[in-house]
Amino acid sequence: MTEPQTANQTQIEGWNEGVGKTWVRFQAELDRQLEPIGAGALRAAALQLGQTVLDVGCGAGATTVEVASAVGRDGVVIGVDPSQPLLAVARARPVPYEAGQITFLAADAQTFGFEPQGFDAVVSRFGVMFFDDPGAAFANLRAGTKPGGRLAFCCWRGMEENPWMTLPLTAAASLVSAPAPSAPDAPGPFAFADPSRVRAVLTAGGWRDIALETFDTRIGGGDLDESARLMTRVGPLGAALREAQADKALIAQAEAAVRAAIEPYATPGGVLIPSATWIVTASA
Ligand SMILES: C[S@@+](CC[C@H](N)C(=O)[O-])C[C@H]1O[C@@H](n2cnc3c(N)ncnc32)[C@H](O)[C@@H]1O
C-alpha cells in the first residue's frame, strides 16, 4: 500500500469513486434512513434566521437545503465536500423559494482556507469522521467560526450498538468475511464512537462547552427488498462485498440472507432497525 500524498487522500478518493458512487445511487434511501438523526443534529444547532452556516461533508446536500430553509432568505449556507459525484446531486436539488443562498464547495474541510470567523454555526450529518488529522480539521473549522458560534453534528456510536450495521454482516457471515477491524482512531464511520476521543479532538481544535448526548432511534423505512438491497451496498457489509469484489450471484445470495434476517423488523412504516449515535455540540 502506498502512503497518502496529501491530507485525506484515501478518503477523498473513496468518496469520489466506489463508496461515493454507491451513495449517489442510493441517495434517496440513505436520505430517508438518516433524516431523523440529521434532524436531531440540526435541532441541536438551534439555527436562526439570517445566519451563515457551514455544512461539513454535505454529500448530496439534503441537510444543506434544510439548513437553507432554517436560516431563511437572508441566510447563507456553504456545503463543503470533496466528492464530485455527490456534489453533482447536491447542486441539482430543488431549493424552496424562501430558503437562504446555497453554495456547494468542492474542498477538503480539514485544509480549506475559510474566511476567518465567518460562520455563525457549523453543522454536519455524519460528515466529520473522515479526517486524517481531526484535531487540525476542527481547528480549521473553529478558525472559520465567529467567537461563540455553535457546532452541532451527529456521528455513530460503536458498531456493536448499531444492529442495522451488525445484523447484515452476521446474516451474510458464511458468504463474505467482515472487514478487518480498523484502528479505533482511523478515519471512517466509527472514528468518533469513543466519547473521550471526541472531547479530545474538539478540545485540540479549540472548541469549548463540548457536550455529547446519546440519540437512539430506529432507522430505515424501506420495504424488505429495498432494505436488503441497501444493506448489501452500504455500511460494513457493502464495504466487505466491495472489498471481496463480489460478483452479482454472491451479492444476490447476501441480499437474500439479509432479507431473511431483517424480516422481524418489518413494520407498516417499512423495515426499522435500532441505531445509536452521538449528537455533539460545542461553541467556538
Ligand atoms: C457518510 S457521508 C454523509 C454525507 C451527507 N452529510 C449525508 O448525511 O447524506 C460522509 C461525507 O463526508 C464527506 N467527506 C469525507 N472527507 C471529507 C473532508 N475531508 N472534508 C469534507 N467532507 C468530507 C464525504 O465525501 C461524504 O459526502
Short mmCIF file of all heavy atoms in Angstrom, two decimals, residues 8 15 23 34 57-59 80-83 86 107-109 125-127 130-131, ligand 1:
data_model
loop_
_atom_site.label_atom_id
_atom_site.label_comp_id
_atom_site.label_asym_id
_atom_site.label_seq_id
_atom_site.Cartn_x
_atom_site.Cartn_y
_atom_site.Cartn_z
N ASN A 8 -5.95 13.42 3.71
CA ASN A 8 -7.23 12.77 3.45
C ASN A 8 -7.36 12.15 2.06
O ASN A 8 -8.47 11.90 1.58
CB ASN A 8 -8.39 13.76 3.67
CG ASN A 8 -8.36 14.30 5.09
OD1 ASN A 8 -8.21 13.54 6.04
ND2 ASN A 8 -8.46 15.61 5.24
N TRP A 15 -14.55 8.59 -1.70
CA TRP A 15 -15.82 9.32 -1.82
C TRP A 15 -16.03 9.86 -3.23
O TRP A 15 -17.12 10.32 -3.57
CB TRP A 15 -15.91 10.43 -0.76
CG TRP A 15 -16.17 9.86 0.60
CD1 TRP A 15 -15.26 9.71 1.61
CD2 TRP A 15 -17.40 9.32 1.11
NE1 TRP A 15 -15.85 9.10 2.70
CE2 TRP A 15 -17.15 8.85 2.41
CE3 TRP A 15 -18.68 9.16 0.56
CZ2 TRP A 15 -18.16 8.26 3.20
CZ3 TRP A 15 -19.67 8.57 1.33
CH2 TRP A 15 -19.41 8.12 2.63
N TRP A 23 -23.24 5.89 -2.84
CA TRP A 23 -24.10 6.86 -2.13
C TRP A 23 -24.95 7.65 -3.10
O TRP A 23 -26.09 7.99 -2.80
CB TRP A 23 -23.24 7.78 -1.25
CG TRP A 23 -23.06 7.20 0.12
CD1 TRP A 23 -22.42 6.03 0.43
CD2 TRP A 23 -23.56 7.73 1.36
NE1 TRP A 23 -22.48 5.81 1.78
CE2 TRP A 23 -23.17 6.84 2.38
CE3 TRP A 23 -24.27 8.87 1.70
CZ2 TRP A 23 -23.49 7.04 3.71
CZ3 TRP A 23 -24.59 9.08 3.03
CH2 TRP A 23 -24.21 8.17 4.02
N LEU A 34 -31.34 8.44 7.12
CA LEU A 34 -30.56 9.31 8.02
C LEU A 34 -31.33 10.54 8.48
O LEU A 34 -30.88 11.24 9.40
CB LEU A 34 -29.26 9.74 7.31
CG LEU A 34 -28.35 8.59 6.87
CD1 LEU A 34 -27.11 9.14 6.18
CD2 LEU A 34 -27.95 7.72 8.06
N GLY A 57 -19.04 18.05 5.00
CA GLY A 57 -19.29 16.73 4.41
C GLY A 57 -20.73 16.64 3.99
O GLY A 57 -21.43 15.68 4.31
N CYS A 58 -21.17 17.65 3.26
CA CYS A 58 -22.62 17.81 2.95
C CYS A 58 -23.12 16.73 2.00
O CYS A 58 -24.32 16.52 1.89
CB CYS A 58 -22.88 19.19 2.35
SG CYS A 58 -22.03 19.41 0.75
N GLY A 59 -22.20 16.03 1.31
CA GLY A 59 -22.60 14.96 0.41
C GLY A 59 -23.62 15.44 -0.61
O GLY A 59 -23.44 16.47 -1.26
N VAL A 80 -19.72 21.97 2.15
CA VAL A 80 -18.35 21.64 1.70
C VAL A 80 -18.19 20.13 1.66
O VAL A 80 -18.58 19.42 2.60
CB VAL A 80 -17.27 22.31 2.60
CG1 VAL A 80 -17.33 21.84 4.04
CG2 VAL A 80 -15.88 22.07 2.03
N ASP A 81 -17.62 19.65 0.56
CA ASP A 81 -17.43 18.20 0.39
C ASP A 81 -16.45 17.99 -0.77
O ASP A 81 -16.52 18.71 -1.76
CB ASP A 81 -18.77 17.52 0.06
CG ASP A 81 -18.76 16.04 0.36
OD1 ASP A 81 -18.01 15.30 -0.31
OD2 ASP A 81 -19.48 15.62 1.30
N PRO A 82 -15.54 17.01 -0.65
CA PRO A 82 -14.60 16.79 -1.75
C PRO A 82 -15.13 15.82 -2.81
O PRO A 82 -14.43 15.53 -3.77
CB PRO A 82 -13.39 16.19 -1.04
CG PRO A 82 -13.96 15.47 0.12
CD PRO A 82 -15.21 16.19 0.53
N SER A 83 -16.36 15.30 -2.65
CA SER A 83 -16.86 14.28 -3.57
C SER A 83 -17.62 14.91 -4.73
O SER A 83 -18.75 15.38 -4.58
CB SER A 83 -17.79 13.30 -2.83
OG SER A 83 -18.45 12.47 -3.75
N LEU A 86 -21.14 13.30 -5.50
CA LEU A 86 -22.20 13.68 -4.53
C LEU A 86 -22.57 15.15 -4.68
O LEU A 86 -23.75 15.51 -4.60
CB LEU A 86 -21.74 13.35 -3.10
CG LEU A 86 -21.91 11.86 -2.76
CD1 LEU A 86 -21.12 11.49 -1.52
CD2 LEU A 86 -23.38 11.51 -2.57
N ALA A 107 -14.20 20.86 -1.73
CA ALA A 107 -12.96 21.07 -0.98
C ALA A 107 -12.90 20.13 0.22
O ALA A 107 -13.90 19.53 0.62
CB ALA A 107 -12.89 22.52 -0.49
N ASP A 108 -11.69 20.05 0.78
CA ASP A 108 -11.44 19.28 1.99
C ASP A 108 -11.64 20.22 3.18
O ASP A 108 -10.93 21.23 3.29
CB ASP A 108 -9.98 18.78 1.91
CG ASP A 108 -9.55 17.98 3.12
OD1 ASP A 108 -10.21 18.07 4.17
OD2 ASP A 108 -8.53 17.28 3.02
N ALA A 109 -12.56 19.91 4.06
CA ALA A 109 -12.87 20.81 5.18
C ALA A 109 -11.71 20.90 6.17
O ALA A 109 -11.66 21.84 6.97
CB ALA A 109 -14.13 20.33 5.89
N ARG A 125 -24.08 16.15 9.19
CA ARG A 125 -24.74 14.84 9.36
C ARG A 125 -23.74 13.79 8.88
O ARG A 125 -23.58 13.57 7.69
CB ARG A 125 -26.02 14.82 8.52
CG ARG A 125 -26.85 13.55 8.68
CD ARG A 125 -28.17 13.61 7.91
NE ARG A 125 -28.04 13.23 6.50
CZ ARG A 125 -29.05 13.14 5.65
NH1 ARG A 125 -30.28 13.44 6.05
NH2 ARG A 125 -28.86 12.79 4.38
N PHE A 126 -23.03 13.20 9.82
CA PHE A 126 -22.10 12.10 9.53
C PHE A 126 -21.00 12.48 8.54
O PHE A 126 -20.51 11.62 7.81
CB PHE A 126 -22.86 10.88 8.99
CG PHE A 126 -23.88 10.34 9.95
CD1 PHE A 126 -25.24 10.37 9.64
CD2 PHE A 126 -23.50 9.79 11.16
CE1 PHE A 126 -26.18 9.88 10.52
CE2 PHE A 126 -24.43 9.29 12.05
CZ PHE A 126 -25.78 9.34 11.72
N GLY A 127 -20.58 13.76 8.52
CA GLY A 127 -19.56 14.17 7.56
C GLY A 127 -18.24 14.58 8.18
O GLY A 127 -17.38 15.13 7.48
N PHE A 130 -14.04 11.55 8.84
CA PHE A 130 -13.19 11.02 7.77
C PHE A 130 -11.87 11.76 7.61
O PHE A 130 -11.23 11.68 6.59
CB PHE A 130 -14.00 11.03 6.45
CG PHE A 130 -15.29 10.26 6.58
CD1 PHE A 130 -16.48 10.91 6.88
CD2 PHE A 130 -15.30 8.88 6.46
CE1 PHE A 130 -17.66 10.20 7.04
CE2 PHE A 130 -16.48 8.16 6.62
CZ PHE A 130 -17.66 8.83 6.91
N PHE A 131 -11.48 12.51 8.66
CA PHE A 131 -10.25 13.30 8.59
C PHE A 131 -9.05 12.49 9.08
O PHE A 131 -9.13 11.83 10.11
CB PHE A 131 -10.37 14.55 9.47
CG PHE A 131 -11.53 15.46 9.11
CD1 PHE A 131 -12.51 15.76 10.05
CD2 PHE A 131 -11.61 16.03 7.85
CE1 PHE A 131 -13.57 16.61 9.74
CE2 PHE A 131 -12.67 16.88 7.52
CZ PHE A 131 -13.65 17.16 8.47
C1 LIG B 1 -21.39 9.46 5.41
S1 LIG B 1 -21.32 10.67 4.16
C2 LIG B 1 -22.52 11.85 4.72
C3 LIG B 1 -23.00 12.77 3.61
C4 LIG B 1 -24.12 13.72 4.00
N1 LIG B 1 -23.74 14.58 5.09
C5 LIG B 1 -25.37 12.96 4.33
O1 LIG B 1 -25.74 12.88 5.51
O2 LIG B 1 -26.02 12.44 3.40
C6 LIG B 1 -19.78 11.47 4.54
C7 LIG B 1 -19.45 12.66 3.67
O3 LIG B 1 -18.25 13.26 4.16
C8 LIG B 1 -17.52 13.69 3.05
N2 LIG B 1 -16.10 13.89 3.40
C9 LIG B 1 -15.14 12.95 3.52
N3 LIG B 1 -13.96 13.53 3.79
C10 LIG B 1 -14.17 14.87 3.84
C11 LIG B 1 -13.34 16.00 4.06
N4 LIG B 1 -12.03 15.87 4.29
N5 LIG B 1 -13.91 17.24 4.03
C12 LIG B 1 -15.24 17.39 3.81
N6 LIG B 1 -16.07 16.34 3.60
C13 LIG B 1 -15.55 15.10 3.61
C14 LIG B 1 -17.73 12.60 2.01
O4 LIG B 1 -17.39 12.99 0.71
C15 LIG B 1 -19.21 12.30 2.21
O5 LIG B 1 -20.01 13.09 1.37
#
